Amino acid sequence: MAEIQLRNVHKRWGSFVGVEDFNLTIADREFLVLLGPSGCGKTTTMRMIAGLEDVTEGEIAIGGKVVNNLEPKDRDVSMVFQSYALYPNMNVYENIRFPLKVRGVDPTTHDEKVMRAADMVELRDFLHRKPAELSGGQRQRVALARAIVREPNVFLMDEPLSNLDAKLRVSTRAQIKNLSHELAVTTIYVTHDQIEAMTLADRVVVMKAGIVQQVGSPTDIYDTPANTFVASFIGSPAMNLIEGEVNGGMFHSEHTLIDGVNLPDGKLVLGFRAEDAWIAQDGEAGQINAPIYTQELLGDAVMISVRIGGALVSVKADKTYRAEIGETVSICVPDTICHHFAADTGARIGE
C-alpha cells in the first residue's frame, strides 16, 4: 500500500516561503496532479516527497511510515524528469536496465523486466539505439520505461511532457494515462499545463505562491472553482471574469447588464465559461452588447471576444458565424450560468 500523507508540510529558505502548511492524503493508486504557474511550489512539494529537498516543518509519510529522514533511494519512489536524464553512452536497453543493476536486483530477471517495460512504452524495436539517435518523444518513453522497470510504490513525474512538441504531448499524455491504469501505482504528476491536469488526474491540487488554492476532481475544479485564481487558471479559454457592481439584483458593468443576481448590493466579480454563453439570435436580448474585439476560427467553433473594462470576454459561436471586428454583438449571459466571486478576496460566493 502506497498511501502518501503530507502533514503540515512547510518549506522555507530563510524568509522565503516555498510551500506553506500543505496538508493532503494521497490515496493508494491515485493519480494526483500538482498544478500551478512557475514558482508556485509544486515541484518543491514533489522534491520533498522524493527526498531531494528537506522538509522545514511537518511530516511526510509513505505507506504509513514517516520518511522525513530517509534517503531518496530508501523511499521506494521512482522519478521521471523533464530533462529525460538518460545516459548518452548507453543504449536504450542499458538505460532501462540501469536501476536494476544499481539496486542489486537478481540479474537473471533483468531481461524479462526490461522487455516488459519496453513493451509498455512501445520501445522494443529501439533497444539497440543510443539516446542521440532517438526523437524527443522516444527519449521521454525511455525515461518512463526506466521508472517502470523498478516497480516502485510511487511514481513522481516532474513536467515530463514540457520538452515535447504539441502533437507528441498529446500522444505521450495518452500513453501515460494508459500506463497509470495498467500499472495501478500511486502517481504524483507536476505540471503547469491545465489540459494535462484535466485529462490525467483523479484529483488536482491547484497551487499559488506555495499555498494550496483548491483540491478536487477535474470536474469539481472546472465546474466550481474556489476563487478567481482557479477560475482564471483552469479552462481553455479561461473563465471570463467581469468586475462590476450589484444593485437591486442587477449586475452592472461596461456594456453589461445581467438580471437575477440575488446577492447584496456592492462590488462583485462575475464569471462564466465561453461555452455556456451564446450569440443572441432571432430577436433575443443579450446581457452584453459590445463591439467585437477579435474573432478566431477554431475549426469546430468561432471564438468571439469583446472588451469589458480591461478584460477580454470570450464566447463560442457556431463555426459558420461571421462578423466584422468593430461590429456590435449581443451575447446572452443568463445568471443561471454565472459564477460569483467576492471583489476583495476573490473567494467563491454561494454553493
Side-chain angles (χ1 to χ4, degrees):
M1 178 176 174
E3 180 183 271
I4 301 171
Q5 292 182 316
L6 293 93
R7 306 169 188 145
N8 307 110
V9 170
H10 296 251
K11 179 61 181 179
R12 292 185 288 269
W13 293 273
S15 61
F16 179 78
V17 177
V19 176
E20 184 174 342
D21 200 22
F22 195 116
N23 286 277
L24 186 68
T25 297
I26 303 161
D28 182 38
R29 303 183 180 186
E30 182 176 15
F31 196 116
L32 184 94
V33 173
L34 301 176
L35 174 68
S38 296
C40 72
K42 56 190 186 296
T43 294
T44 299
T45 301
M46 173 177 282
R47 287 173 65 84
M48 287 191 289
I49 294 169
L52 301 176
E53 294 279 1
D54 292 331
V55 175
T56 306
E57 187 181 329
E59 287 184 340
I60 296 175
I62 299 177
K65 180 180 180 180
V66 175
V67 299
N68 288 43
N69 297 320
L70 288 184
E71 294 294 320
K73 65 183 177 64
D74 298 322
R75 298 192 183 196
D76 199 15
V77 302
S78 195
M79 196 159 182
V80 179
F81 297 92
Q82 173 184 344
S83 60
Y84 316 138
L86 303 180
Y87 298 101
N89 59 316
M90 297 182 185
N91 63 21
V92 169
Y93 183 96
E94 290 300 331
N95 263 284
I96 296 173
R97 182 187 174 203
F98 190 75
L100 301 177
K101 293 170 68 176
V102 169
R103 298 179 72 83
V105 175
D106 180 0
T108 63
T109 68
H110 287 194
D111 192 63
E112 180 186 350
K113 290 177 182 291
V114 170
M115 289 302 181
R116 176 176 175 270
D119 284 341
M120 283 186 174
V121 295
E122 300 173 13
L123 281 175
R124 183 180 280 260
D125 294 338
F126 301 90
L127 292 174
H128 62 285
R129 295 192 186 183
K130 297 284 183 66
E133 302 173 279
L134 303 175
S135 68
Q138 289 164 341
R139 291 179 200 176
Q140 192 56 277
R141 280 151 53 195
V142 176
L144 285 169
R146 190 176 56 189
I148 291 166
V149 79
R150 275 194 47 206
E151 300 175 2
N153 275 329
V154 179
F155 279 132
L156 303 177
M157 299 188 183
D158 188 8
E159 305 216 33
L161 308 184
S162 59
N163 285 346
L164 305 181
D165 63 39
K167 186 175 180 181
L168 273 175
R169 277 202 300 273
V170 172
S171 60
T172 310
R173 188 171 71 221
Q175 198 157 37
I176 289 173
K177 180 76 170 178
N178 182 264
L179 279 172
S180 71
H181 174 76
E182 188 173 343
L183 295 169
V185 173
T186 307
T187 302
I188 301 174
Y189 187 105
V190 163
T191 184
H192 63 271
D193 186 324
Q194 51 93 15
I195 294 176
E196 286 180 24
M198 296 292 286
T199 53
L200 289 171
D202 295 322
R203 278 194 303 164
V204 179
V205 178
V206 184
M207 299 182 70
K208 176 189 177 186
I211 299 172
V212 172
Q213 303 293 305
Q214 187 171 1
V215 181
S217 71
T219 301
D220 291 340
I221 287 175
Y222 189 84
D223 289 345
T224 55
N227 53 43
T228 51
F229 173 79
V230 177
S232 64
F233 199 79
I234 299 292
S236 183
M239 181 179 287
N240 297 308
L241 297 172
I242 303 173
E243 296 180 2
E245 291 193 14
V246 177
N247 191 342
M250 190 81 72
F251 176 82
H252 300 259
S253 189
E254 183 182 16
H255 305 301
T256 304
L257 197 61
I258 299 175
D259 198 3
V261 181
N262 298 314
L263 293 170
D265 290 357
K267 291 184 177 180
L268 181 74
V269 177
L270 181 141
F272 64 92
R273 296 282 183 194
E275 66 269 22
D276 292 335
W278 64 91
I279 303 293
Q281 295 179 0
D282 302 326
E284 281 183 298
Q287 285 75 24
I288 295 176
N289 293 276
I292 294 174
Y293 182 78
T294 186
Q295 59 178 333
E296 302 167 89
L297 179 60
L298 305 179
D300 62 337
V302 173
M303 189 71 74
I304 302 295
S305 297
V306 300
R307 271 201 175 278
I308 306 295
L312 274 182
V313 172
S314 301
V315 59
K316 283 187 177 179
D318 187 85
K319 63 183 179 181
T320 61
Y321 182 84
R322 294 293 182 271
E324 297 295 326
I325 290 177
E327 182 180 328
T328 297
V329 65
S330 185
I331 301 172
C332 294
V333 190
D335 181 60
T336 52
I337 70 166
C338 293
H339 305 253
H340 308 126
F341 304 94
D344 51 353
T345 65
R348 184 179 188 83
I349 299 172
E351 77 292 351

